[in-house]
Amino acid sequence: MKDLNSLWQGRLRDFAKTMSRYSRLILNDHMALILLVAFGFFSIYYQQLLVSLQSQPPQGLGLMITAACLLVWWAGLAWGRPLLLTYEPDKSYLFARGYQWHAVWKWGVWLGTLAPSLALAVVTLLLAPLISLALGWSLSQALCLIAYVVGAKFLVAWAGYLGFYSGLLPKGLSGPALALALAGLGAGSLWLPANLSLGLLALVLILGAAYIWWACRKVPQHWIEFEALGAQEQARRASLYRWLALFAEVPQQIP
């Protein structure tokens, strides 16, 4: 187990160094200035939008906000992959370690979920005043939705990871399907009384977390689909480098 921990931690340090190097290339002085100006313009526009909607809300505003929440939450919940840092050669000499990989992969699931969770929290923070305005929730109640979408993101991430263990989870609990279900539940609950809705969403998160915990305890009894896991990790790296290629030269990746 110590060897696996050392291997994964070494790869994580290399990944962090690589991301730090590209971050310095992308977030240079010019880009920082552009982002600062864009943030200023967006803040002014957003403030004016809220004032305009308060004075003269358009017909069907509730439906528009609900649709926006559904699309944004669905995209955010489906975005991102676990940071497993497992490569094709691992199959030949580490595959025999089997479920012992779970002890290090679980940290990759948490780390891979941080950035999407932060993005979801920020977007939901921006949507909260609109939800309050269009659907009659108080602002504090609307802000509680941040906890729901972040919790839902962790459920989706863990379900996607546990799906690599053959027969552990039902097919309907795959990451994309679960993301759509949780986003739809969150958006649909906006039409319920706020306290009832928040209680229902909290119950869903508690039951989901309990199920994920139960499934994690069953991991040693199931076979890892190592090829599918390796293919997803390759796809994660390729997607990351395609995005970085917009700003800097990157190594060629197999799509």
Side-chain angles (χ1 to χ4, degrees), residues 2-247:
K2 183 178 179 180
D3 293 338
L4 289 181
N5 285 330
S6 300
L7 175 65
W8 193 84
Q9 290 173 5
R11 290 177 177 179
L12 180 61
R13 285 193 295 268
D14 292 340
F15 176 79
K17 290 178 182 178
T18 301
M19 291 300 99
S20 176
R21 182 169 64 251
Y22 282 117
S23 297
R24 289 194 297 270
L25 289 174
I26 296 172
L27 298 177
N28 51 42
D29 294 340
H30 298 291
M31 180 61 72
L33 180 60
I34 292 173
L35 291 176
L36 183 62
V37 172
F39 177 76
F41 277 112
F42 175 78
S43 300
I44 295 173
Y45 170 77
Y46 184 70
Q47 184 178 14
Q48 292 176 344
L49 175 64
L50 290 178
V51 172
S52 174
L53 291 177
Q54 286 175 347
S55 61
Q56 191 176 3
Q59 187 175 5
L61 179 61
L63 288 175
M64 289 188 287
I65 297 302
T66 302
C69 289
L70 173 62
L71 293 176
V72 169
W73 289 343
W74 183 19
L77 292 177
W79 171 46
R81 296 182 176 93
L83 190 65
L84 302 181
L85 301 177
T86 303
Y87 306 135
E88 183 66 23
D90 294 338
K91 182 173 62 176
S92 61
Y93 68 96
L94 288 176
F95 181 67
R97 302 296 291 271
Y99 72 89
Q100 293 180 4
W101 273 102
H102 175 66
V104 292
W105 279 338
K106 64 182 180 181
W107 299 112
V109 177
W110 292 113
L111 290 174
T113 311
L114 291 180
S117 296
L118 179 60
L120 273 169
V122 171
V123 173
T124 306
L125 177 65
L126 295 174
L127 287 171
L130 298 174
I131 293 172
S132 176
L133 178 64
L135 296 161
W137 289 38
S138 69
L139 183 58
S140 60
Q141 290 170 331
L143 289 173
C144 290
L145 292 170
I146 295 175
Y148 170 72
V149 295
V150 171
K153 178 58 192 175
F154 280 99
L155 290 183
V156 171
W158 274 99
Y161 161 67
L162 293 174
F164 289 115
Y165 292 86
S166 180
L168 181 57
L169 295 183
K171 294 296 183 181
L173 285 181
S174 63
L178 185 60
L180 177 58
L182 291 175
L185 178 63
S189 68
L190 297 177
W191 292 87
L192 297 175
N195 290 332
L196 175 62
S197 175
L198 293 175
L200 174 63
L201 296 179
L203 179 62
V204 169
L205 291 182
I206 292 171
L207 293 177
Y211 184 79
I212 293 296
W213 175 80
W214 173 84
C216 286
R217 293 176 61 87
K218 299 292 184 180
V219 160
Q221 304 173 16
H222 294 266
W223 190 256
I224 302 172
E225 297 179 2
F226 207 96
E227 291 186 357
L229 187 146
Q232 176 177 280
E233 182 65 12
Q234 178 65 37
R236 182 195 64 79
R237 294 198 304 273
S239 176
L240 174 63
Y241 280 113
R242 280 197 298 269
W243 184 83
L244 292 174
L246 298 175
F247 307 95

